[in-house]
Amino acid sequence: MKRYLVSSFIFFLFLCGAILLIYSRCIQIQNDHLQQHLFTEQAAIRSSIHTYSLLAQAINDEVIQTEQVLKLVHDITNSHGKEQNILRGQLYRLLDPVYQRLRGKQVRQLHFHFPDSRSMLRFHAPSRSDDSLVAVRPSVVRANTDHEIVNGFESGRIFHGFRHVYPLSYQGEHIGSVEISTSFYQIRNEFKHLSEDGLNTLNNSNKSQLAFLLYRPEMWNKLFDDLHTFYQTTPLHPDYIIERADLISSLCSEKISESPLVDRVQQKLSHSSEVARKLKQHRSFAVAVNLRGTTYTVVFHSVQNTLKQHAAYIMSVTPEPFIATIRNDGILMGVLATVLLTVILLYRFRFLAADENEKRQALFLSNISDNLGTALYTTNHEGTITFTNTAMEVLLGYQQKEMLGRNAHELFHQPQDTDDHSPCICEEVLRTNTTIRSDAYYFVDRTGALFPVEVVCSPLRDHKQTIGTATIFQDISKRREQEEQLQQAQQELISANASLKNLASHDGLTGVYNRRSFDEQVERLWRSAARHKQPLALLMVDIDHFKRYNDLFGHLQGDECLRRVAQTLQKACKRPEDFVARYGGEEFAILLPLTGHDDSEHVAQRIQAQIGSLAIEHPGNEKNQRITLSIGCCTCLPDGGETVQDFIFAADQCLYRAKEEGRNTICCCRLQGDEQES
Amino acid sequence: MFRILLALFIFLPLSSVFAASPSSTLRFSPLPMLSEHLVKEQFLSFCSSLSELTCQNVSLIYKKDYQDLLKALHNDELDLAYLGPLPYVMARKTDPDIIPVVRFLDKHQKATYTCSLVTFGHNHPNLDADYPTIALTQPYSTCGYLVTESLLSPYQHSLNDCPYTYVGDHEQAALAVIRGDAALAGVKTTIARRYENLGLTILDESAPLPGFLLVANRRTLDPATIDQLRSDLLSLNHAFSADQKEKPEWGKMIRYGMIEAHDEDYDAIRALLTRFPVPEILP
C-alpha cells in the first residue's frame, strides 16, 4: 500500500509539474503575444493621436491664425463687460460654422482662453466662460506663460481629450490661447480605421472595441459639479470612471454607441485581482479574458497628461482566436500529459502488483524452502552462492549473509574421497547439464566438522539458458549410522539364518547333512540322474557295534566318535557335489552323483581306509578293537523303472548284507530294473 | 405528500411577502424634456419616495413627446405625471380629472419662473424694418409661442407675421440668436441669463408664471389617496437637507422643495392661452 501511495504521490507530482510546465509555457506564449498586441496597438494609438495633432495644427494655421479672428480675440481680451460679451458672441458667430464643420472632422473642442488662462469661449459649451483654468488646465497655463504649443492628453471641466493648445498673439501682443482638442472617441474612430486597415490584419482578428477609463483622482475635482452625474464608476476599479454616452450626445451631439462587449469584459475583469493590481501601477498592460466561449485580448494603454502623470486608460477589447488556440493546445497537451502519466501510473501499478505477487511467491517459496527441513542453495555459473534457505544456515552454522556471494565449493563442499582435485558437484552439473543425485558427498560445517550429505544438484534454467545450479542436500549422518546398524543387523540375521539353515539341514552333532536334507537331496539327485541319464551312487554307512562303544565310553565319547567318523566321511568325499548325511543313530548316507559302481566301491574302500587310519579304539569291537564301518553301496542309472525308495532300500539291503557278512565290510549292488546285481 | 409539503413550504413565505407588499402599481411619467436615460435618472429616486409614501409600487414610464404623455393621461394609462404649466393647462382643459398635487420650487425657493424675449447685442426689434426671424423652443413650452407672442406685442410684432421656427429647447433658441440665425427668441429667463456672456440681451421679461407641477388622474386614483399623497409630499419639505434645502438624490428640477398646487394658480396661463392661442396645439 505504501508503494502505491508513493507511486500515486510521484504521479501527482509529475502531473502537477507537467501541467505547471505546460501552463507556464502557454502563459509565456500568451504574454508574448499580448505584449506584441500591446505594442502594435500603442503604435496605432500614437498614430491616431498624431493624425489629429496634424489636423489641429492645420486648423490653427488656416482658421485661427487669420487677421479677423486674431483681431476679435484681441478686442475681447482688451474689452470689458457687455462689450466684451458682444465681441465674444461675434467670435462665436464667426467661428461656429467652422466649429460645426470641424465637429464633422472629429474635432471636439475649440476653446479660446484669456492670457490669464480664464476661459474665453468654449464652442462646445458656449454658456460657460470666464472661469479660471489655472487649477485644472496646466496645458493652457503653459501656453499662456511660456507661449509655447502644448500637445497631450488633459482632463478638463467638461471634456477630456487630447489637447493641442496654441498661444495667440496679435501684432506682437500675447492675446491668449486657443485649444483644439479631440476626444477619446475621435481617437477611437481613427484607431478603428487603422485596425480595419492593418492592425487586425496583423492580428488576424476582428474589430477592436474601445473604452476610455478616466483616472478619477486626476480629473474628478476639475469637473463642473453638475457634470458629475454624467460619469459612472467602472466595475473594474473604483478609481476609474467612464463618461456616459448621453453626456457626449447631450453636450456635443456626437453619436457614441455604447459597447455591451466592453461592459461585459469590464464586469468579468472586475473579479481579477491581477487587473486591479496592474491598474494601480498605472502602466500599460494586456490580459486575455474568456467570455462566453470567446477569448479576447484586453489591452490597457496608459494615457499620461501633459504633466506626465497617469490620467486615463484606453481599454481595447479584441477577439483573439490565437490565444484561444494557445489555450486549447495547452488543454490538449495537459490532457495528453495526464493520459500519458496515467498510463505510466497504471503500468506502475501493474508492475507493483506483479512485484508483490512475485514477492508473495518468493515468500511462499522461501517459507516452503525454510520449512523443508532440507537445505537449499543456488549458485551462479561461477559457483557463487546466490540463495540459501534457513535449513542450510542450521546445517552449516553460517548465516545467510555470510554465505551469499561466496563460492560454495570453497566454503563447504568436501570432495567424496577428501581429494581436493575432485570436481565440484555444481561444476559437474553445469558441465553435464544434468541432475546429479548422490549420497556420497561430505560437506563441512562452520566448525570444520565433516558430515555426509545426500545431495541433489540440478541445473537452474532461465528459459532455455542455464544460469546456475540449484542444490538441495540433507545431513545423512544419522541415516548413515542407522544404515550401518541395519547392515550389521542384516549380516547378523544372514548369519543367523545361515546357522538356522545349517541347523535345519545339518546334523547338530556331526555337522553333516541330516536325514531331512538327505531325503530332499536324494529326490533331487534321483530326478537329475534320471533326466540326464547319469549314474547315481548311494552309500549307507553304519558304525560297527556302536551301542557297545556308548556303553563302554559313554555317550559323550560316543558323540565324539560320531563327529570324527562324520568328518572322515566328509573328507573322503572330495567332490563338491558329493553329499554326506547322518541317516540316523550311528548310520550315515552318502550320495555320489555321476558315480558308477566301481567308483562308488572305490570311495567306500577309501572311507574304510581313512576310518581305519583314525584308529579309534573300540574294545567292544571284538574283532578289530577299533572303530570300523559297514558300508552298503548301491549304484543306479535311473530309467523310470525304479523309484528312489527302491534305490534306498537296495543300498540298505547291501548294508544289511555287509553287517551280515561280519561287519567292516563293503557290499555293493547295481539297481537296474527289477534286478539287483551284487 | 412530500411535494405538497414542499409547495406549502415555498408558497406560504411567498404569500406573506406579497401580502406585505403594495397591492397595486402607480404609473408615473415625467415630461420628456431630456433623453430617456437622464429623465429616468432625474426621477428614479423620486419614484422610490413616492412608493414609500403610498406603500405602492411606482412605475416610471417614459413618453417620447408631450402629446403622447397627455394622451396617456387622458386614456387613464397614467396615474401621476410631471407637467409643465402649458401642458397642464392643455390637459386640464380637455380632462378635468387631471388635478394638481404639488408645485416644485426652483433653486431659489421660487415656485414661479419667467420667460424672456432675447436678442443679440444692441439689436432692437423696433429698429428692424423687416419682420425678424424668431426662434422658439417648442409648441408645448410655455416660453415658446405662448409667452413669446405676448412679449412681442409691445414691439408691434406678432408671430402671425414673423417667421418663426421651433429649434427644440431653450439653449438652442438662445444660440440661434447668438449665431445670427434668428433675430429674436423666447427662452426661459434663467437660460437667457446664462448666455449673456455671449452678448445675448434680454429685451423683455414676462410676469412670473407658475412652475412645473405634479398632477394626478382622479379617475385612477381616489381623492383620499391624492390628498394623502399631497400631504405626504409636502411633509417631505421638512425632511429636506436643512442647510441645502434640497433633496440631492432627486433630479435638479424637483429637488428644491414643493408647495401645494391649485388649479387657479394656472389661470394666468389660461388667460394667455385665450389671448394667444398656440396654432400647433389647438385642440
Side-chain angles (χ1 to χ4, degrees), chain A residues 152-170:
Chain A
F153 174 82
E154 201 166 71
S155 54
R157 290 193 185 281
I158 300 174
F159 285 135
H160 324 285
F162 296 90
R163 320 282 185 172
H164 310 285
V165 186
Y166 302 93
L168 297 176
S169 62
Y170 181 69

Side-chain angles (χ1 to χ4, degrees), chain A residues 188-477:
Chain A
R188 179 175 75 175
N189 290 338
E190 185 64 22
F191 176 81
K192 277 188 175 178
H193 291 312
L194 281 174
S195 298
E196 287 163 13
D197 291 344
L199 177 64
N200 288 323
T201 306
L202 179 69
N203 291 337
N204 194 24
S205 60
N206 299 321
K207 287 181 181 178
S208 299
Q209 298 196 33
L210 282 79
F212 195 58
L213 315 180
L214 290 158
Y215 185 48
R216 187 198 293 265
E218 197 274 340
M219 51 70 69
W220 191 250
N221 293 331
K222 296 179 184 177
L223 280 176
F224 284 123
D225 290 343
D226 57 341
L227 295 179
H228 284 162
T229 54
F230 289 96
Y231 294 84
Q232 64 187 33
T233 304
T234 66
L236 284 170
H237 197 280
D239 279 349
Y240 290 90
I241 57 175
I242 54 172
E243 294 173 322
R244 285 210 317 241
D246 48 11
L247 168 70
I248 317 305
S249 56
S250 66
L251 293 180
C252 62
S253 305
E254 287 181 13
K255 290 183 179 177
I256 303 301
S257 57
E258 291 181 338
S259 168
L261 173 63
V262 172
D263 291 343
R264 285 200 302 272
V265 168
Q266 287 186 358
Q267 208 67 42
K268 175 100 177 179
L269 290 178
S270 65
H271 307 298
S272 168
S273 57
E274 179 195 1
V275 170
R277 180 174 51 80
K278 288 184 174 177
L279 283 174
K280 279 185 178 176
Q281 293 173 347
H282 302 164
R283 288 205 296 265
S284 298
F285 65 95
V287 294
V289 63
N290 193 288
L291 202 66
R292 297 179 182 176
T294 305
T295 305
Y296 297 92
T297 298
V298 185
V299 180
F300 292 84
H301 303 278
S302 173
V303 177
Q304 292 186 332
N305 61 19
T306 52
L307 297 175
K308 304 297 179 191
Q309 295 167 333
H310 175 71
Y313 270 117
I314 296 174
M315 173 187 174
S316 80
V317 180
T318 312
E320 188 56 271
F322 178 68
I323 288 180
T325 305
I326 292 171
R327 289 187 173 176
N328 290 338
D329 287 353
I331 291 168
L332 182 65
M333 287 170 71
V335 169
L336 285 175
T338 307
V339 169
L340 184 65
L341 287 171
T342 305
V343 167
I344 291 172
L345 180 69
L346 291 176
Y347 269 100
R348 173 67 181 164
F349 280 173
R350 282 188 63 180
F351 169 77
L352 289 177
D355 191 45
E356 274 194 5
N357 192 34
E358 194 175 317
K359 281 186 176 174
R360 271 200 301 273
Q361 286 184 350
L363 184 64
F364 175 70
L365 291 174
S366 176
N367 282 335
I368 290 174
S369 68
D370 287 346
N371 293 293
L372 266 178
T374 302
L376 168 67
Y377 69 95
T378 61
T379 63
N380 61 13
H381 262 294
E382 286 72 39
T384 303
I385 298 168
T386 54
F387 172 80
T388 64
N389 68 350
T390 308
M392 185 159 166
E393 292 178 321
V394 173
L395 277 179
L396 295 180
Y398 291 106
Q399 289 187 346
Q400 188 185 46
K401 60 184 179 184
E402 293 177 292
M403 293 184 281
L404 292 177
R406 295 188 61 182
N407 189 285
H409 191 66
E410 293 171 358
L411 184 63
F412 57 82
H413 283 181
Q414 181 65 33
Q416 187 175 2
D417 299 321
T418 63
D419 180 0
D420 289 339
H421 301 293
S422 297
C424 170
I425 186 170
C426 298
E427 288 176 6
E428 277 296 297
V429 166
L430 290 171
R431 188 176 59 77
T432 59
N433 204 24
T434 56
T435 298
I436 294 178
R437 299 168 188 274
S438 175
D439 56 359
Y441 279 88
Y442 285 83
F443 284 173
V444 183
D445 66 14
R446 189 186 187 99
T447 63
L450 205 63
F451 60 94
V453 291
E454 181 180 24
V455 61
V456 178
C457 184
S458 304
L460 199 58
R461 292 187 178 91
D462 183 9
H463 296 94
K464 290 182 178 178
Q465 191 178 4
T466 302
I467 58 168
T469 62
T471 308
I472 57 172
F473 68 89
Q474 57 185 347
D475 183 359
I476 57 171
S477 301

